[in-house]
C-alpha cells in the first residue's frame, strides 16, 4: 500500500502545478430556431421521454422507446419526421398503486422503455421499467424486405409480458446497456429493486447455449454504473464499459475508476466450477489522463469507430467521454481514444490476485495457470477455472492513444457522443465527433494533428436532460437526438451557410469545400474535384486563390468603397455602428482612412464589436469593420457617415431653444444612455460588404458627461473636448449675454451688502431712543427682552422701536443723539 501511495503523490503534485489547457470555443453558435441552422423536430403532446433510439438497417425507420409507448418513425424524408405507428404499453392501475405503495413518486411509475433491440428481420425485443417491476416483450409488424405494415404488434409467449429482471433496470434513472448477437440478448444492469445487485447476463439462449450471468456474489463488480457495450466480430467478444469503485486502491475511500470488461459469445459456463457463470470474464482499468493532471476517472459514454477500409480490426478505436472526481483538473470533460490492439495486449498480460478472506488485491508474482479472458475455457479443469475465478483484474491499465487526451472542454459537461470518419477533398480521412452537452448543445468537432477544432455548436433542446440518447445515420448524413422534448434531426453538414470562399475555408469542415465554378460552398461527398479546402491549416489565400490583404489606404480607395451603408446624422449625436459576428475565433476591429481610430477617448468599442461615438466634423466619413482570423483579414461591414442637410429657417429665439433641446440634451446618469433614440435608415441602394446586409445603425442623443463616451479622467479627456469644441456650433452671443447678466447680478448683490454694512455701523454709533440709560443691560441680565426691540424683524433685520414708532407717526428724530453712556457720541465721560 505504501508503494501505491508513493506512486500517487507525483500525480497529485503535478495536478496542483498543472497549467490550464487552451480553451476550446465553438467557432459558430446556432441558438434553437436559428434560420442559419434549420432542424427537423418531432414532437407530440401525448408522447414523452423519447430517449431510446434504434435505427433500422436501411436507416429509413427510427424506432423510439418512449414513456408507455414504442414508436415507429419515418425518417426517409429530409424535411420531416412522420410517425408510422405507435404501440401503447402502459402499466395497469393496480401496478401503479403498488408502485406508489413502495414509496415511489407517481411520475417515475410509468413504463419507460429502456431496452430496444433487433432479434431478426421480423422481431424486436423491448423491455421497460413498468412501474418498478420490469417487463419484456417481443414486437413484430415490420419487415426490411418488400412487406411493411403500419402497425407494431406485441407478441408475448404467454398471456402477459415476460419478467424483465436482470434485463432492464427497475429505476428509470439507472444506467444500463444491452446488445443482441445472433438472436441472444446481452445486458448489463441491476437485478433487484434496491439496485444493489449488478449483473452482466445473457438471455434468450438456444441450443447448446445456456443463459449465463455474472452477479456480485463473487465480488466481480463493485457498485458499477454501466455505460455501453460493443460487439467485435473478429474477436467474438463483447466489451462492456462502466465505472465502479476501485477496491485495489484501498488507501482512498470510494475511488472511482473506469473499466472495460470482456466476455466471449461462445462461453457456456463451467461443468462443475462456475456453472451457469461466465468463464471468460475479465476487466481492466481505462486510464484517461494527461501527463500533468489527475486522471479523468468517471466514464460517461463510449462508442466504437470501425477502422478505415483495408485496415486491420485491431485498429478499431473506442472514443469515450470522461469526467473527473476532483476539481483540480483543468477541464470539465475530456475525450480519450483507446485502440483495440492495446485492450487486447492488456488482457494478455499479468493479473492481480484477490484474497477472498480479506478482499484485498495483491500483485505478487505467481505461476500463470491460464490466461483469463481467453475464449474456450468452459472445457478447462476445475483448477484452471478456480484460477480464472480469482484472477479477473488485469494488472496493467489501458493507456489512451498517444498517451494523451484527445480533447478537453473547460466549460462543458459532455454526456453522449458519436463519431464518423470523413474523407476530405485532399483524400485524407478526418474524424468528426458529435458531442452532446448537458446545457443542450450539440458540438461538432474535427480532430487535427494540432488538437481538436470545434466547428460549430447547435442548440437542440432548451432544458438540461437527465436521460438522452444519440444515433448517427451515416447514409442519411444526420444525427438523431432523443430527449424528453421529442426527437431532433440534425444534419451533419451545413455548407450552404457559408457565403464566401473565405468563410467556407475558415470553417475547416471536412464535409464542406468551395466550388469556384459555382461560387458556392458544397459538400465534398458530391465528388467534385478542385474544391477549395484546407482542414489542417485553414489557409484562405491558398485555397481561395486570394490576394494579399489591401493596405488601409487602398481599402478606402474609391474603387473599394462602392458598397456600404450610408447614414446621415446630425452633429453632437451619439451613433452606434454595428459589426456582424461571423466567427468566435475572429478578432474584430475598426479602421478609418488613416488606418486606425482617431483616439480611444472619442471612440468606444463595445464587447459585441460595435462602435459608439459622438458625431463631430472630424468623425464624418468612411468606417470599416474588419476581422482577422487565422491570419486572414476580411471586411465585415462598411459605413459612410455624413451630416444631415440644414434644417428649415427658424427665428433666433426658436433656433436657440431647439438647439438646446435636441442638440445638447440634459446629461443622463453616469454609464446610462438616454432612452430616446432614432434609427438612421440606410439608403435603398446601399448594401454591406461580402454580400450580406449590414445590421441597422442606431443614433442616440449624446450625453456629454456620460462615462460611456467621455472618460472622467481630465487628462485623457482634454484632447477630445478641445477637438469637439473647436468644431461645434458657436454659442458666443449667448455666453456674452449670460456673462453680462451674471456681472450685473453680482454687482447688485455687492452694492446691497455694502449698504447694509454701512447702515449697521451708523446704527451702532447713533443715540438710542426711549428708556433710561442702562435699562437694556439690566433687562438682559434679568433674562427679559430689551425694550429697544419689539421682537419683529423686517426682511431679516431687527427694527428699532423708536425708529419704527417715528416712521409710523411720520415724524423725524430731532432729539439730541446720545450714546449708551448718556453723553454725546465720541465724547469722553
Amino acid at each position: 500500500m505504501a508503494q501505491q501511495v508513493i506512486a500517487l503523490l507525483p500525480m497529485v503534485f503535478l495536478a496542483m502545478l498543472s497549467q490550464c489547457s487552451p480553451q476550446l470555443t465553438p467557432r459558430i453558435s446556432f441558438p434553437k430556431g436559428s434560420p442559419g441552422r434549420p432542424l427537423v423536430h418531432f414532437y407530440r403532446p401525448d408522447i414523452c421521454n423519447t430517449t431510446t433510439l434504434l435505427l433500422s438497417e436501411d436507416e429509413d425507420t427510427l424506432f423510439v422507446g418512449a414513456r408507455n409507448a414504442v414508436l415507429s418513425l419515418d425518417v426517409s424524408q429530409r424535411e420531416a419526421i412522420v410517425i408510422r405507428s405507435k404501440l401503447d404499453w402502459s402499466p395497469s392501475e393496480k401496478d401503479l398503486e403498488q408502485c406508489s405503495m413502495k414509496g415511489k413518486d407517481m411520475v417515475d411509475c410509468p413504463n419507460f422503455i429502456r431496452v430496444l433491440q433487433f432479434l431478426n428481420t421480423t422481431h424486436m425485443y423491448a423491455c421497460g421499467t413498468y412501474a418498478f417491476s420490469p417487463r419484456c416483450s417481443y414486437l413484430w409488424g415490420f419487415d426490411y424486405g418488400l412487406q411493411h405494415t403500419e402497425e407494431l404488434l406485441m407478441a408475448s409467449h404467454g398471456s402477459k409480458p415476460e419478467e424483465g429482471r436482470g434485463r432492464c433496470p427497475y429505476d428509470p434513472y439507472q444506467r444500463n446497456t444491452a446488445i443482441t448477437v445472433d438472436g441472444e440478448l446481452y445486458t448489463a444492469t441491476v437485478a433487484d429493486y434496491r439496485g444493489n445487485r449488478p449483473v452482466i447476463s445473457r438471455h434468450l439462449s438456444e441450443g447448446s447455449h445456456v443463459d449465463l450471468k455474472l452477479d456480485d456474489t463473487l465480488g466481480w463488480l463493485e457498485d458499477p454504473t454501466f455505460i455501453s457495450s460493443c460487439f467485435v466480430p473478429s474477436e467474438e467478444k463483447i466489451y462492456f464499459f462502466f465505472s465502479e469503485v476501485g477496491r485495489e486502491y484501498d488507501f482512498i475511500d470510494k475511488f472511482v475508476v473506469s473499466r472495460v470488461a470482456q466476455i466471449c459469445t461462445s462461453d457456456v459456463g463451467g461443468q462443475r466450477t462456475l456453472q451457469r457463470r461466465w468463464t471468460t470474464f475479465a476487466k481492466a482499468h481505462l486510464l484517461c489522463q494527461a501527463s500533468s493532471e489527475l486522471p479523468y476517472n468517471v466514464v460517461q459514454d463510449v462508442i466504437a469507430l470501425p477502422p478505415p477500409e483495408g485496415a486491420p480490426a485491431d485498429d478499431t478505436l473506442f472514443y469515450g467521454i470522461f469526467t473527473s472526481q476532483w476539481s483540480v483538473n483543468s477541464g470539465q470533460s475530456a475525450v480519450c481514444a483507446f485502440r483495440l490492439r492495446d485492450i487486447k495486449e492488456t488482457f494478455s498480460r499479468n493479473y492481480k490476485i484477490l484474497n477472498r478472506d480479506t478482499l484485498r488485491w495483491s500483485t505478487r508474482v505467481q505461476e500463470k495457470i491460464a490466461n483469463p479472458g481467453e475464449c474456450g475455457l468452459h472445457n478447462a479443469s476445475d483448477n484452471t477455472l478456480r484460477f480464472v475465478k480469482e484472477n479477473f483484474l488485469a494488472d496493467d491499465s489501458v493507456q489512451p492513444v498517444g498517451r494523451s487526451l484527445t480533447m478537453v472542454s473547460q466549460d462543458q459537461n459532455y454526456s453522449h457522443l458519436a463519431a464518423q470518419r470523413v474523407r476530405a477533398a485532399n483524400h485524407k480521412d478526418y474524424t468528426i465527433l458529435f458531442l452532446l452537452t448537458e446545457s443542450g448543445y450539440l458540438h461538432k468537432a474535427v480532430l487535427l494533428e494540432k488538437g481538436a477544432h470545434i466547428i460549430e455548436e447547435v442548440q437542440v433542446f432548451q432544458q438540461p436532460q437527465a436521460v438522452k440518447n444519440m444515433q448517427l445515420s451515416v447514409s442519411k448524413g444526420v444525427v438523431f437526438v432523443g430527449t424528453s422534448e421529442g426527437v431532433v434531426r440534425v444534419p451533419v453538414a451545413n455548407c450552404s451557410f457559408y457565403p464566401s470562399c473565405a468563410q467556407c475555408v475558415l470553417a475547416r469542415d471536412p464535409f464542406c469545400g468551395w466550388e469556384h465554378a459555382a461560387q458556392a460552398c458544397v459538400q465534398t461527398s458530391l465528388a467534385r474535384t478542385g474544391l477549395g479546402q484546407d482542414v489542417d491549416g485553414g489557409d484562405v489565400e491558398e485555397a481561395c486563390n486570394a490576394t494579399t490583404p489591401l493596405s488601409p489606404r487602398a481599402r478606402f480607395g474609391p474603387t473599394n468603397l462602392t458598397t456600404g451603408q450610408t447614414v446621415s446624422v446630425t452633429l453632437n449625436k451619439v451613433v452606434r455602428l454595428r459589426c456582424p459576428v461571423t466567427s468566435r475565433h475572429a478578432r474584430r476591429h475598426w479602421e478609418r482612412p488613416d488606418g486606425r481610430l482617431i483616439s480611444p477617448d472619442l471612440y468606444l468599442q463595445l464587447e459585441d464589436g460595435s462602435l459608439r461615438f459622438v458625431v463631430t466634423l472630424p468623425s464624418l466619413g468612411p468606417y470599416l469593420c474588419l476581422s482577422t482570423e487565422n491570419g486572414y483579414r476580411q471586411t465585415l461591414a462598411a459605413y459612410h457617415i455624413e451630416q444631415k442637410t440644414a434644417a428649415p429657417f427658424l427665428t433666433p429665439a426658436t433656433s436657440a431653444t431647439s438647439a438646446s433641446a435636441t442638440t445638447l440634451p440634459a446629461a443622463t446618469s453616469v454609464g446610462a444612455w438616454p432612452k430616446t433614440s432614432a434609427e438612421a435608415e440606410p439608403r435603398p441602394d446601399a448594401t454591406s460588404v461580402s454580400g450580406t446586409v449590414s445590421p441597422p445603425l442606431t443614433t442616440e442623443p449624446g450625453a456629454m458627461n456620460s462615462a460611456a463616451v467621455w472618460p472622467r479622467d481630465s487628462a485623457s479627456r482634454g484632447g477630445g473636448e478641445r477637438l469637439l469644441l473647436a468644431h461645434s456650433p458657436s454659442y458666443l452671443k449667448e455666453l456674452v449675454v449670460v456673462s453680462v447678466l451674471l456681472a450685473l447680478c453680482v454687482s447688485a448683490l455687492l452694492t446691497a451688502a455694502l449698504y447694509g454694512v454701512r447702515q449697521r455701523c451708523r446704527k451702532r454709533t447713533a443715540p438710542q431712543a426711549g428708556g433710561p440709560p442702562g435699562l437694556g443691560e439690566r433687562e438682559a441680565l434679568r433674562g427679559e427682552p430689551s425694550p429697544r426691540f419689539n421682537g419683529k424683524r423686517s426682511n431679516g433685520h431687527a427694527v428699532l422701536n423708536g425708529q419704527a414708532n417715528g416712521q409710523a407717526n411720520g415724524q423725524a428724530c430731532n432729539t439730541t443723539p446720545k450714546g449708551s453712556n448718556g453723553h454725546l457720541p465720541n465724547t469722553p465721560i
Side-chain angles (χ1 to χ4, degrees), residues 307-324:
E309 186 177 356
D314 287 350
D315 290 339
T316 301
L317 294 178
F318 297 93
Y319 286 95
I321 299 174
F322 296 83
T323 57
S324 178

Side-chain angles (χ1 to χ4, degrees), residues 91-142:
S92 61
E93 293 294 334
K94 181 179 179 181
D95 294 327
L96 295 177
E97 291 179 1
Q98 292 179 355
C99 179
S100 179
M101 292 176 61
K102 295 177 182 178
K104 301 299 181 181
D105 294 334
M106 290 301 296
V107 294
D108 300 332
C109 290
N111 185 23
F112 295 88
I113 309 301
R114 299 300 303 276
V115 175
L116 194 62
Q117 291 290 323
F118 291 116
L119 293 179
N120 47 46
T121 59
T122 58
H123 284 77
M124 286 191 303
Y125 196 73
C127 300
T129 58
Y130 205 83
F132 280 80
S133 180
R135 295 288 185 272
C136 296
S137 179
Y138 293 90
L139 304 180
W140 65 283
F142 64 94

Side-chain angles (χ1 to χ4, degrees), residues 15-224:
M16 294 180 180
L17 298 176
S18 62
Q19 299 179 353
C20 294
S21 302
Q23 185 174 0
L24 285 177
T25 303
R27 183 178 181 272
I28 302 177
S29 180
F30 295 97
K32 189 174 182 180
S34 175
R37 198 66 160 92
L39 307 178
V40 180
H41 190 193
F42 170 79
Y43 169 76
R44 277 181 43 171
D46 59 333
I47 299 176
C48 302
N49 297 95
T50 53
T51 55
T52 303
L53 306 180
L54 180 64
L55 195 62
S56 62
E57 291 185 1
D58 57 4
E59 299 186 354
D60 287 338
T61 305
L62 181 67
F63 297 95
V64 181
R67 184 176 65 181
N68 296 329
V70 178
L71 310 177
S72 175
L73 303 179
D74 183 6
V75 294
S76 60
Q77 305 177 23
R78 294 177 56 90
E79 305 297 334
I81 299 178
V82 182
I83 184 171
R84 285 178 175 172
S85 61
K86 175 186 175 183
L87 173 64
D88 293 323
W89 190 9
S90 303
S92 61
E93 293 294 334
K94 181 179 179 181
D95 294 327
L96 295 177
E97 291 179 1
Q98 292 179 355
C99 179
S100 179
M101 292 176 61
K102 295 177 182 178
K104 301 299 181 181
D105 294 334
M106 290 301 296
V107 294
D108 300 332
C109 290
N111 185 23
F112 295 88
I113 309 301
R114 299 300 303 276
V115 175
L116 194 62
Q117 291 290 323
F118 291 116
L119 293 179
N120 47 46
T121 59
T122 58
H123 284 77
M124 286 191 303
Y125 196 73
C127 300
T129 58
Y130 205 83
F132 280 80
S133 180
R135 295 288 185 272
C136 296
S137 179
Y138 293 90
L139 304 180
W140 65 283
F142 64 94
D143 192 354
Y144 295 141
L146 298 178
Q147 297 180 355
H148 180 78
T149 61
E150 297 296 333
E151 183 178 3
L152 285 174
L153 302 176
M154 183 178 297
S156 301
H157 289 292
S159 59
K160 62 180 181 178
E162 301 176 353
E163 181 182 1
R165 180 180 179 181
R167 309 178 188 185
C168 178
Y170 288 73
D171 194 327
Y173 301 104
Q174 288 178 338
R175 299 287 298 268
N176 72 301
T177 179
I179 189 173
T180 54
V181 178
D182 296 333
E184 296 177 327
L185 179 67
Y186 297 83
T187 63
T189 182
V190 291
D192 66 332
Y193 174 80
R194 299 179 180 272
N196 296 328
R197 292 187 57 192
V199 58
I200 297 177
S201 54
R202 182 175 65 191
H203 306 273
L204 311 179
S205 300
E206 296 180 356
S208 60
H209 281 199
V210 295
D211 292 350
L212 302 179
K213 67 178 182 178
L214 174 76
D215 55 31
D216 199 35
T217 57
L218 300 177
W220 288 346
L221 299 172
E222 299 289 347
D223 193 16

Side-chain angles (χ1 to χ4, degrees), residues 197 526 760:
R197 292 187 57 192
L526 300 179
R760 189 175 297 124

